[in-house]
Amino acid sequence: MSVLSNHMPTAELQALDAAHHMHPFTTNDELAEKGARIITRAKGVFLTDSEGNEILDAMAGLWCVNIGYGRPEMAEVAARQMMELPYYNTFFMTTHVPAIALAQEIAKLAPEGLNHVFFAGSGSEANDTNIRMVRTYWAEKGKPAKSHIISRKNAYHGSSVGSGSLGGMAYMHAQGGLPIPGIHHINQPDWWAEGGDMTPEEFGLARAEELEAKILELGEDNVAAFIAEPIQGAGGVVIPPQTYWPEIQRICDAYEILLIADEVICGFGRTGNWFGSQTMGIRPHIMTIAKGLSSGYQPIGGSIVCDEVAQVIGATEFNHGYTYSGHPVAAAVALENLRILQEEKLVDRVRDVGGPALKAGLESLNDHPLVGGISIKGMMASIPLTPHKESRAKFATDAGTVGYMCRERCFANNLVMRHVGDRMIISPPLVIELDEIDLLISRAKKALDETYAQLKDQDLLKAAS
Ligand SMILES: *Cc1c(COP(=O)(O)O)cnc(C)c1O
């Protein structure tokens, strides 16, 4: 098999890309100066770029390629479905077999009481659905004032106007007039970065209690829902202290607040259970899904909705939906993805085999002078970088400088790790083999060593005061 497929030279492709293709979360200058990395193919956990490099993808694309790349079954299902019924909608009392079968399968896998699925094309769309759904739910129940939604700083819920408002990324709110009215953000349970001298348990409880304080401030009769990722992903793989989620659950129950678990990353095996809500022991009314639902082979997302909310929403017409809600090709492909996850017992494998192996490998990096103590749940991990482990100190340089350097050293060693600020994050395909985990760890170690050497050279190992 040839490593390079037949295409223009990399530099020409990069120039065309910079000239015409507007990228998400990218600046023109950097694109023009460095040129985008061009991925030409992928198989298993490895990407191939236009220069023939074989890169281990420790991020599963954007946290989504749970079953790994290049699965022929997925392509065959898509081709068959396109021949049979490439498109039909699910508006106005019509449906089709792929949407029916996928909704049934999702209901089977979801926790008890979550038996209804509203499909969308992405996680952002699904969270936009959720905003309208929870507000409509309370309005239908005769409580239209219950419309405020509480979320968290540094949460990620998508990039549309609604979902970007739910998210708590300050740099996103700074553009385009976000957040929309009626969305409020409390602090996140990131003990490593913000816990100070508290124990993780004290800190988890204190951050959960901010939800109660916010509800009391807004008035219980004005709050519709609380939304959160069971484990924050894009915020830097923030695994809350054990005390956090039980207290959040107690507060939601006590004040009749709907709980929306954004499972876009945690769902479909990432944390060692089908859903992160199971791993963290919570009972949401609505779960947002996307990413791992189709392992990224087709764009599809949705909201899994509890019986009570679905019944109230369905009592009158819910004036909401997307042209591609339940798209038959995307639904058929997602169904095949769920079949593969089950047949290959990939969720059990994360919990019993791959997750523990990744944990052991990453923990071997804890001795590294830059590593502040890894945290991991299932196959979601973070490696915080610090100039001083004991105090969890930040670097004196601008936040993200060191993380970016480390990410560049990872690429140079044919490893994709993302950085969030000065924290490296890992979320490989769930199918990653044990020898591939070893390779991931050895490349990560080399990248960390090179980053350390570079920081020393440039005298950047100083802690912020
Ligand atoms: C990626 C992500 C989304 C947005 O999904 P898109 O498909 O990119 O719109 C929403 N929530 C979480 C937790 C995510 O990680």
Side-chain angles (χ1 to χ4, degrees):
M1 190 178 74
S2 77
V3 182
L4 281 181
S5 49
N6 186 18
H7 56 66
M8 283 184 241
T10 299
E12 282 177 47
L13 286 171
Q14 286 171 328
L16 285 172
D17 182 69
H20 302 296
H21 177 197
M22 296 175 77
H23 289 243
F25 296 95
T26 303
T27 60
N28 290 344
D29 286 354
E30 197 183 6
L31 201 61
E33 187 191 311
K34 294 191 179 167
R37 190 174 314 271
I38 299 164
I39 305 301
T40 51
R41 63 173 71 204
K43 180 94 187 135
V45 300
F46 291 99
L47 310 168
T48 304
D49 72 13
S50 56
E51 295 295 291
N53 295 307
E54 298 239 327
I55 308 165
L56 200 167
D57 183 7
M59 281 305 298
L62 281 177
W63 324 79
C64 53
V65 188
N66 288 7
I67 62 169
Y69 296 94
R71 305 291 302 240
E73 310 93 307
M74 300 284 273
E76 282 156 21
V77 162
R80 255 188 282 132
Q81 186 57 48
M82 279 193 197
M83 297 299 286
E84 199 165 301
L85 179 70
Y87 175 74
Y88 201 71
N89 67 73
T90 54
F91 285 33
F92 317 132
M93 299 286 292
T94 59
T95 190
H96 46 66
V97 176
I100 298 167
L102 181 60
Q104 179 199 19
E105 192 63 17
I106 291 170
K108 193 185 94 191
L109 296 171
E112 205 186 321
L114 292 161
N115 291 309
H116 310 270
V117 187
F118 195 104
F119 286 113
S122 67
S124 301
E125 286 181 8
N127 276 326
D128 279 14
T129 299
N130 293 339
I131 294 173
R132 300 194 65 204
M133 191 173 320
V134 298
R135 288 175 170 173
T136 305
Y137 169 79
W138 289 115
E140 291 294 325
K141 300 263 286 183
K143 297 182 176 174
K146 256 174 114 61
S147 66
H148 291 259
I149 301 173
I150 302 173
S151 178
R152 305 181 299 180
K153 291 177 189 163
N154 201 36
Y156 190 78
H157 297 300
S159 210
S160 60
V161 172
S163 63
S165 296
L166 288 178
M169 300 296 182
Y171 58 92
M172 290 177 72
H173 290 177
Q175 297 172 328
L178 306 190
I180 56 171
I183 314 272
H184 309 267
H185 300 85
I186 58 174
N187 283 308
Q188 59 173 339
D190 185 348
W191 176 80
W192 204 90
E194 300 174 4
D197 294 333
M198 287 189 192
T199 66
E201 290 70 28
E202 288 165 354
F203 177 74
L205 214 52
R207 285 290 154 102
E209 278 157 7
E210 287 193 22
L211 176 60
E212 189 159 34
K214 183 56 83 178
I215 292 168
L216 294 173
E217 177 195 321
L218 295 166
E220 176 185 350
D221 295 337
N222 299 318
V223 180
F226 174 65
I227 182 167
E229 305 152 78
I231 295 170
Q232 284 155 263
V237 183
V238 178
I239 303 171
Q242 284 178 15
T243 45
Y244 181 76
W245 272 115
E247 182 66 2
I248 292 282
Q249 181 73 58
R250 182 193 70 74
I251 294 165
C252 289
D253 292 346
Y255 295 97
E256 263 204 299
I257 305 297
L258 295 177
L259 175 57
I260 307 170
D262 186 336
E263 294 269 3
V264 170
I265 288 174
C266 293
F268 305 102
R270 175 68 49 203
T271 69
N273 286 293
W274 278 96
F275 295 96
S277 293
Q278 295 158 328
T279 302
M280 306 314 278
I282 50 174
R283 291 173 280 104
H285 299 90
I286 297 174
M287 300 199 303
T288 319
I289 53 173
K291 297 195 171 117
L293 169 60
S294 67
S295 284
Y297 280 68
Q298 286 283 291
I300 184 169
S303 307
I304 317 181
V305 181
C306 71
D307 300 341
E308 153 76 5
V309 172
Q311 195 191 349
V312 171
I313 288 295
T316 50
E317 189 169 309
F318 184 35
N319 302 313
H320 180 82
Y322 306 106
T323 300
Y324 299 139
S325 286
H327 190 286
V329 178
V333 166
L335 196 59
E336 180 64 8
N337 175 62
L338 298 183
R339 189 191 67 73
I340 290 171
L341 283 169
Q342 291 176 87
E343 193 161 294
E344 299 180 5
K345 299 190 166 45
L346 290 175
V347 182
D348 293 349
R349 197 168 175 281
V350 169
R351 191 181 54 235
D352 302 333
V353 184
L358 184 60
K359 182 166 191 276
L362 289 172
E363 278 173 349
S364 76
L365 301 175
N366 274 339
D367 292 341
H368 195 279
L370 276 184
V371 173
I374 69 120
S375 49
I376 178 166
K377 192 69 96 178
M379 284 213 176
M380 267 177 105
S382 76
I383 309 175
L385 305 181
T386 174
H388 188 250
K389 291 171 195 267
E390 288 69 30
S391 61
R392 312 198 303 280
K394 298 181 174 64
F395 291 94
T397 55
D398 291 345
T401 309
V402 176
Y404 182 82
M405 279 167 71
C406 185
R407 192 201 71 158
E408 292 300 288
R409 296 326 303 157
C410 288
F411 267 130
N413 285 288
N414 286 334
L415 175 67
V416 178
M417 263 207 277
R418 203 167 130 183
H419 77 108
V420 175
D422 293 323
R423 202 180 281 198
M424 306 310 295
I425 53 184
I426 293 182
S427 163
L430 308 185
V431 293
I432 189 168
E433 297 284 355
L434 297 182
D435 60 332
E436 293 166 339
I437 291 177
D438 291 344
L439 186 64
L440 187 166
I441 300 297
S442 70
R443 288 183 182 177
K445 175 156 188 326
K446 190 145 177 290
L448 285 165
D449 287 344
E450 291 173 9
T451 307
Y452 187 70
Q454 220 172 337
L455 291 171
K456 239 178 166 169
D457 270 1
Q458 300 176 19
D459 199 23
L460 290 176
L461 277 169
K462 285 181 293 232
S465 49

